[in-house]
Amino acid sequence: MLSIKLDRLGDICGGRGKETADRVIQAAAERLVGCVRAQDCVSHAGGGHFRVLLCPLGTAELAASLADKVCHVLRLPFTIAHQRLAVSASVGIGLWSQDGGTAEAVIAQADACMRRATNPGDGYRFDDAGLTASLTRLNGLTDDPRIALERGEFELHYQPRVALPDDRVVSAEALIRWPHPLHGNIPPSAFIPVAESTGFIHELGAWILERACSQAATWQAQCGTAIPVSVNVSGRQLEHPGFPELVRRTLERTGLAPNRLELEITESTLMHRPADVTEALERIRFLGVRTSLDDFGTGYSSLAYLHRFPLDTLKIDRTFINDVLSPEYSGVLLRSIVDLAHALGLLVVVEGVETPKQRGIVEAQGGDEMQGFLFSPAVPPGEFERRFLAPAALERVAHAYPG
Ligand code: C2E
Ligand code: CA
Ligand code: CA
């Protein structure tokens, strides 16, 4: 549970009256909804005091990561009636204790921590000082990704996708990395949602697309191999009417053939605004670019809907081969999805393959390709080139992706 209070709302809106305060609260609510997960519940208790219930209940790290995002997005100025207003927030975190406890106790704990975050814009507070200290590393989030892009701090690493049964590298997924000069590696799951909620994802996403396409074009020119590259695209990018044109121009500028690019969208993006996203995907496919549904099985989508969407590839989330499931059960589940996906003409990739046993399940159940730490994590482009674009691999890639 997060308890969030907009600091000094009365002072800031002072002379401008209640209407301005209400508009700030409304704008803050929109930012909050944009930065928590779809399933979390945001409520307004009055006077700029919000509470966020994490559903399902998360770990301390998750709560801290969300609290950090909340602090960050509320620190950005609000523009109300042509005026820029700087509002920060105090955030407290309440956690369910292992030995039970009531909802009221958790709310009281979160509210008390929020009140103790006395300095405006101070960040978030747990009840437990040790826990707070161990999580201070996450404060890297308060650094602005915009500035990181200007400073050239972002990098793209590439994870190979390999075809079964013979482990041929057939494409590369671009995954963003932020090796922060002070805080070490900040995971994309920490800053991509911030970039989405502030709108910066358009700029960052354009940079990612350009960098990945130009890398694939360079590999083709230098190594003679036309290795396809996949790029993750956020829902906010797809919803922008200019996105398909951005893709077309990027391909033109970098000289990458459209069928060497695949764009990955997550299942939750697709289900969130199916009509808009479908139209964007159709325009993208019209260019000759491939489309892929990522994290399949983690959201609400159902196999029954798959045929409605213009897709080429289905990427099955790693939970389906998780060791929590028995191998037999994983096998049955996977087989049904693979069969249906194949019937719909989709290529099936299974993500997160970490062990030979999991690889065996994927192969036995007819998965076309796999991706995961068993074969390789995402590596810098130079390493990718050395390890996977050796002359012997080139022929096989060309064979796997004719045209
Ligand atoms: P994703 O697209 O599902 O990417 C796969 C994630 O799983 C990556 O984490 C990858 O490093 C990790 N992974 C790969 N193989 C294994 C494995 O065998 N076991 C386990 N446990 N994990 C594995 P990463 O790089 O931290 O990315 C996390 C998510 O952040 C991505 O999930 C994607 O949704 C997002 N993301 C990453 N790069 C970008 C980007 O350039 N643009 C956008 N919009 N999102 C990105
Ligand atoms: Ca992906
Ligand atoms: Ca995935």
Side-chain angles (χ1 to χ4, degrees):
M1 154 79 62
L2 306 185
S3 172
I4 302 155
K5 181 92 170 80
L6 300 179
D7 293 318
R8 296 176 294 128
L9 189 62
D11 300 348
I12 292 158
C13 301
R16 300 181 183 91
K18 184 172 178 309
E19 196 190 326
T20 306
D22 286 345
R23 289 179 63 187
V24 171
I25 292 170
Q26 193 179 352
E30 281 165 13
R31 288 189 191 177
L32 279 178
V33 170
C35 81
V36 300
R37 302 163 308 170
Q39 67 269 36
D40 297 332
C41 174
V42 179
S43 64
H44 182 229
H49 179 195
F50 296 92
R51 294 201 186 93
V52 178
L53 178 64
L54 308 183
C55 309
L57 303 175
T59 58
E61 283 80 3
L62 174 74
S65 149
L66 284 178
D68 229 345
K69 279 177 217 159
V70 165
C71 292
H72 182 85
V73 297
L74 295 181
R75 203 173 289 148
L76 300 170
F78 291 87
T79 304
I80 308 286
H82 309 295
Q83 299 264 5
R84 276 163 77 81
L85 300 175
V87 180
S88 57
S90 299
V91 181
I93 297 175
L95 297 171
W96 297 86
S97 61
Q98 297 293 339
D99 47 0
T102 61
E104 286 78 11
V106 177
I107 292 173
Q109 187 197 6
D111 288 353
C113 294
M114 177 273 288
R115 282 191 291 273
R116 277 204 298 281
T118 40
N119 299 321
D122 195 17
Y124 58 86
R125 285 286 150 102
F126 276 100
D127 215 10
D128 176 334
L131 198 53
T132 307
S134 72
L135 290 162
T136 46
R137 213 177 133 264
L138 281 171
N139 281 333
L141 271 181
T142 56
D143 281 24
D144 194 341
R146 231 174 252 278
I147 297 173
L149 184 62
E150 280 165 21
R151 289 193 200 129
E153 285 174 11
F154 290 113
E155 295 172 2
L156 290 187
H157 284 194
Y158 296 86
Q159 185 176 34
R161 233 161 75 178
V162 301
L164 292 165
D166 48 357
D167 290 354
R168 288 172 295 123
V169 173
V170 284
S171 74
E173 176 176 1
L175 292 161
I176 192 160
R177 297 289 174 257
W178 184 4
H180 191 282
L182 294 177
H183 304 290
N185 293 325
I186 301 181
S189 55
F191 63 86
I192 293 283
V194 175
E196 283 171 348
S197 67
T198 59
F200 174 59
I201 193 70
H202 298 297
E203 215 176 310
L204 183 62
W207 178 86
I208 294 167
L209 188 65
E210 174 95 25
R211 176 59 70 98
C213 290
S214 101
Q215 181 64 71
T218 305
W219 277 331
Q220 176 153 18
Q222 284 179 355
C223 315
T225 180
I227 183 109
V229 71
S230 11
V231 174
N232 293 284
V233 172
S234 102
R236 288 286 299 269
Q237 288 174 271
L238 266 188
E239 283 165 20
H240 192 288
F243 184 70
E245 177 57 15
L246 174 81
V247 174
R248 192 194 64 73
R249 277 190 281 113
T250 307
L251 289 168
E252 195 176 76
R253 215 171 22 246
T254 57
L256 186 71
N259 67 348
R260 305 297 164 180
L261 174 65
E262 183 164 281
L263 296 182
E264 299 193 3
I265 57 152
T266 62
E267 186 185 43
S268 50
T269 297
L270 189 59
M271 299 324 276
H272 185 55
R273 294 183 64 171
D276 293 355
V277 171
T278 303
E279 194 196 325
L281 289 179
E282 268 160 4
R283 289 177 58 198
I284 287 162
R285 271 180 114 208
F286 185 72
L287 299 171
V289 170
R290 296 170 60 90
T291 57
S292 151
L293 186 61
D294 201 0
D295 297 348
F296 181 78
T298 55
Y300 328 90
S301 84
S302 125
L303 285 166
Y305 293 119
L306 273 182
H307 72 278
R308 294 195 193 162
F309 302 114
L311 294 165
D312 298 290
T313 303
L314 188 71
K315 295 187 78 172
I316 300 179
D317 189 73
R318 67 169 175 271
T319 44
F320 282 90
I321 46 159
N322 209 310
D323 286 338
V324 175
L325 303 174
S326 71
E328 298 73 34
Y329 188 55
S330 280
V332 172
L333 268 182
L334 208 53
R335 171 57 74 179
S336 347
I337 300 173
V338 168
D339 285 350
L340 190 90
H342 282 166
L344 295 172
L346 299 170
L347 183 91
V348 178
V349 182
V350 181
E351 297 190 291
V353 175
E354 294 179 352
T355 64
K357 192 168 102 189
Q358 291 173 332
R359 183 196 179 286
I361 296 174
V362 176
E363 189 182 345
Q365 304 311 329
D368 301 303
E369 296 177 13
M370 65 165 186
Q371 199 176 337
F373 295 162
L374 175 66
F375 192 80
S376 171
V379 294
E383 185 178 337
F384 191 94
E385 197 175 315
R386 275 194 305 282
R387 284 177 55 192
F388 308 121
L389 302 182
L394 311 188
E395 231 175 86
R396 300 191 297 245
V397 170
H399 178 70
Y401 286 83

